[in-house]
């Protein structure tokens, strides 16, 4: 009898994970987003699609880092078909820059609205469209009720949503599946070469439903992410008299 109860509980847990977007990969199916150990932090070791991901940015430089991280994930989503809808009232993404992450700008519909209050309404309507692969929303405020409405929308359509919250001074509770913090990290130059290296980010997953939060340093290299060791500046030589 105890075994039957445990089996029912395990089945219920698996069903809840599936409803939240953590679907186990089908046998033989390639379902990786190339996030390495970061991807393993999610339940079933699967990046959740059909869910809402919340990215927190406190400064413009972090907004740019979040945009790059989201673009890298979008590349994999768009490979399976569909288009992306990018909604904003103060769009900061430069469309040609998406090519750096393997996305042609004509696969993205940019919706620029004049008022911030209209951003979430447009986002919710876009998330209900089953032909859309992903929706990116740049906003400032997101209440728990608003995030719950977005989550209910994707549970029906199975569209993946990315909420990029900019200039956040005070955080609040939301119903999003995961909360991300992305900050730029100094790149590694090739020996003897000037300029800048490949984009690097410190990626923190501070909240994952039924997952394992953590922090990683990732680099964008040959159109995919890879885990790297952060660059440490050599200690300065001090000369004493």
């Amino acid at each position: 009898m105890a075994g039957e109860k445990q089996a029912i509980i395990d089945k219920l847990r698996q069903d809840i994970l599936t409803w939240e977007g953590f679907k186990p990969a089908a046998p033989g199916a390639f379902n990786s987003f190339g996030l390495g150990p970061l991807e393993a932090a999610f339940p079933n070791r699967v990046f959740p699609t059909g869910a809402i991901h919340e990215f927190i940015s406190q400064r413009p430089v972090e907004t740019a880092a979040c945009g790059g991280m989201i673009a890298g994930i979008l590349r994999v989503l768009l490979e399976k078909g569909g288009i992306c809808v990018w909604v904003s009232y103060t769009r900061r993404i430069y469309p040609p820059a998406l090519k750096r992450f393997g996305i042609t700008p004509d696969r993205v519909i940019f919706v620029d609205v004049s008022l911030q209050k209209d951003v979430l309404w447009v986002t919710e309507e876009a998330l209900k469209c089953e032909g859309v692969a992903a929706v990116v929303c740049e906003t400032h405020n997101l209440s728990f009720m608003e995030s719950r409405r977005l989550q209910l929308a994707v549970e029906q359509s199975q569209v993946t949503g990315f909420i990029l919250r900019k200039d956040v001074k005070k955080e609040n509770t939301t119903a999003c599946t995961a909360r991300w913090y992305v900050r730029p990290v100094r790149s590694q130059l090739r020996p003897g070469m000037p300029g800048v290296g490949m984009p690097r980010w410190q990626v923190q997953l501070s909240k994952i439903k039924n997952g394992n939060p953590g922090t990683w340093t990732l680099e964008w290299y040959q159109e995919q992410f890879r885990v790297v060791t952060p660059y440490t500046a050599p200690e300065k030589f001090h000369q004493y008299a």
Side-chain angles (χ1 to χ4, degrees):
M1 183 61 71
E4 293 180 2
K5 290 183 178 179
Q6 187 60 45
I8 293 173
I9 293 173
D10 293 342
K11 177 67 167 52
L12 182 58
R13 285 175 176 169
Q14 190 60 49
D15 288 344
I16 292 174
L17 289 175
T18 301
W19 297 332
E20 292 177 343
F22 301 102
K23 305 179 187 66
F30 181 75
N31 200 29
S32 174
F33 281 73
L35 294 168
L38 189 153
E39 201 162 311
F42 294 106
N44 295 331
R45 304 174 67 86
V46 174
F47 176 85
T49 56
I52 299 294
H53 296 258
E54 178 186 27
F55 286 74
I56 300 292
S57 162
Q58 299 174 329
R59 299 180 299 163
V61 67
E62 294 175 359
T63 301
C66 289
M69 188 75 197
I70 292 173
I73 298 173
L74 282 178
R75 184 190 67 82
V76 181
L77 281 172
L78 293 177
E79 281 181 349
K80 301 175 181 177
I83 53 127
C84 170
V85 178
W86 197 300
V87 190
S88 177
Y89 68 100
T90 55
R91 176 159 54 93
R92 295 176 183 172
I93 192 74
Y94 181 54
L98 294 174
K99 293 182 179 178
R100 177 73 181 272
F101 298 94
I103 302 174
T104 53
D106 61 353
R107 299 287 304 280
V108 183
I109 298 175
F110 295 98
V111 181
D112 297 329
V113 297
S114 57
L115 299 177
Q116 181 184 339
K117 66 179 182 180
D118 295 330
V119 169
L120 291 178
W121 179 80
V122 175
T123 300
E124 182 179 352
E125 294 303 310
L127 287 172
K128 294 177 182 176
C129 299
E130 298 180 357
V132 175
V135 177
V136 181
C137 168
E138 294 186 33
T139 185
H140 176 70
N141 300 317
L142 181 69
S143 67
F144 180 83
M145 290 301 297
E146 290 167 338
S147 66
R148 184 60 184 147
R149 287 176 62 90
L150 300 180
Q151 185 64 36
L152 289 174
V154 300
E155 287 177 4
Q156 294 294 323
S157 64
Q158 292 301 298
V159 176
T160 305
F162 300 93
I163 307 299
L164 173 50
R165 299 183 60 188
K166 301 181 291 190
D167 306 323
V168 175
K169 303 303 179 186
K170 185 178 180 181
E171 301 174 17
N172 58 290
T173 302
T174 65
C176 298
T177 297
R179 173 172 284 181
W180 302 61
Y181 295 86
V182 183
R183 299 179 176 89
V185 176
R186 182 176 179 179
S187 60
Q188 180 70 57
L189 299 179
R190 286 183 292 177
M193 296 296 292
V196 296
M198 300 297 175
R200 285 188 176 186
W201 310 277
Q202 182 191 69
V203 183
Q204 178 188 4
L205 280 174
S206 67
K207 185 195 79 172
I208 315 171
K209 289 182 179 178
N210 301 305
N212 300 305
T215 302
W216 302 264
T217 299
L218 300 183
E219 180 180 76
W220 184 253
Y221 181 74
Q222 295 185 349
E223 296 196 350
Q224 62 182 353
F225 298 104
R226 69 175 180 179
V227 179
V228 297
T229 302
Y231 171 78
T232 303
E235 185 177 354
K236 292 184 178 179
F237 177 75
H238 298 283
Q239 187 173 17
Y240 301 95

